[in-house]
Amino acid sequence: MSKQTINAKTRTTTGKTAAKNLRKEGRIPAVVYNSKGEATSIDVDEVEFNKVWRNITPTTSVTLKVDGKDLVALIKDVEYNIRTDKALHADFFAPDADQKLVMKVKIHYTGTPAGVLKGGFKKERNNEIKIKACIADLPETVTADISGINVSEALRVKDLKLGNKIEILTNAELPLVTVSPAR
C-alpha cells in the first residue's frame, strides 16, 4: 500500500464566501467525518490534494495531517468543476482503526489464458468484488493472474488469494473470467 499524505488545517469559517476565499488562496475546503458521524471542517492545499486524488483508487487510504495530528482516512467524495478542471470540495472518512469497512474493489487481470493460446475466447464476466476489512488492510487493487485458465475453465472468486485479514463478501462461485472453446 502506498503512503499518501495530505497536510490539512482546521478551519473555523464556513459558507460560500469563506470557501471562495480559500479557493483564491489555492486551498480546498473539506470535511472529515469519523465513524460516529461527527464532522470536522478542514482545508487542504489544492496542488497537494490533486496529486494524491488523481492517482488513487476508492480503497486507497491517505494520511491526513490535521494540525500535526495524523488521521488515516479515505477520500469519499469530491465536488468537481468539469469546466475548470478543479476540485471544489472534498469529503474524507476517518473510521476507527478496528472498524470493518465494506468496499467494492476492482480486479485487474494479468497474463494471457492458456485456453486463448489454444484457440479459445476469453470473456471477462466480472471485474469487481465486495470485501470487508479494516482500513489498514484494504487493498488498493486486486490483481489476478489468468494465465492458467484453459478452454472451458473459469477463474472464480474463491480462487482469489487476498489474505486472512480480508473477508470476501461476493459469492465464491461467481465466475470472473471464462475461456470458451472456438466454434
Side-chain angles (χ1 to χ4, degrees):
M1 178 168 35
S2 65
K3 297 290 179 194
Q4 304 284 350
T5 304
I6 299 174
N7 293 306
K9 291 188 251 175
T10 306
R11 64 184 164 106
T12 53
T13 57
T14 57
K16 282 185 183 181
T17 307
K20 284 181 183 180
N21 290 337
L22 275 175
R23 290 186 197 108
K24 283 179 189 173
E25 296 170 12
R27 311 236 3 123
I28 300 172
V31 177
V32 179
Y33 296 97
N34 64 13
S35 55
K36 297 175 191 124
E38 299 164 344
T40 305
S41 297
I42 62 169
D43 62 81
V44 296
D45 182 67
E46 181 179 13
V47 174
E48 189 178 347
F49 176 78
N50 281 324
K51 281 182 185 175
V52 172
W53 174 55
R54 294 178 190 272
N55 296 308
I56 63 171
T57 67
T59 55
T60 303
S61 59
V62 295
T63 303
L64 271 177
K65 290 189 179 278
V66 183
D67 299 329
K69 182 182 169 192
D70 287 1
L71 291 172
V72 179
L74 298 170
I75 298 175
K76 292 305 280 181
D77 191 31
V78 177
E79 187 180 335
Y80 179 80
N81 185 333
I82 197 163
R83 280 198 245 168
T84 60
D85 194 37
K86 290 189 176 201
L88 301 174
H89 186 276
D91 287 345
F92 294 91
F93 176 59
D96 297 331
D98 59 344
Q99 180 181 355
K100 299 271 188 177
L101 303 173
V102 175
M103 303 287 292
K104 288 184 178 180
V105 180
K106 295 256 185 226
I107 302 172
H108 300 282
Y109 303 110
T110 61
T112 302
V116 169
L117 299 174
K118 296 174 184 172
F121 295 101
K122 176 181 92 169
K123 172 84 171 148
E124 289 185 19
R125 301 201 174 272
N126 296 295
N127 65 348
E128 193 174 75
I129 59 170
K130 193 183 273 191
I131 62 169
K132 186 176 186 178
C134 295
I135 190 166
D137 301 323
L138 285 175
E140 286 185 39
T141 59
V142 174
T143 305
D145 182 19
I146 57 174
S147 57
I149 303 173
N150 280 309
V151 176
S152 300
E153 291 182 351
L155 174 73
R156 299 189 184 281
V157 172
K158 66 182 177 184
D159 300 327
L160 296 175
K161 306 289 184 252
L162 299 181
N164 56 357
K165 293 183 179 181
I166 300 170
E167 180 185 347
I168 299 175
L169 301 177
T170 305
N171 181 356
E173 293 299 321
L174 183 74
L176 299 171
V177 176
T178 58
V179 177
S180 43
R183 295 180 193 187

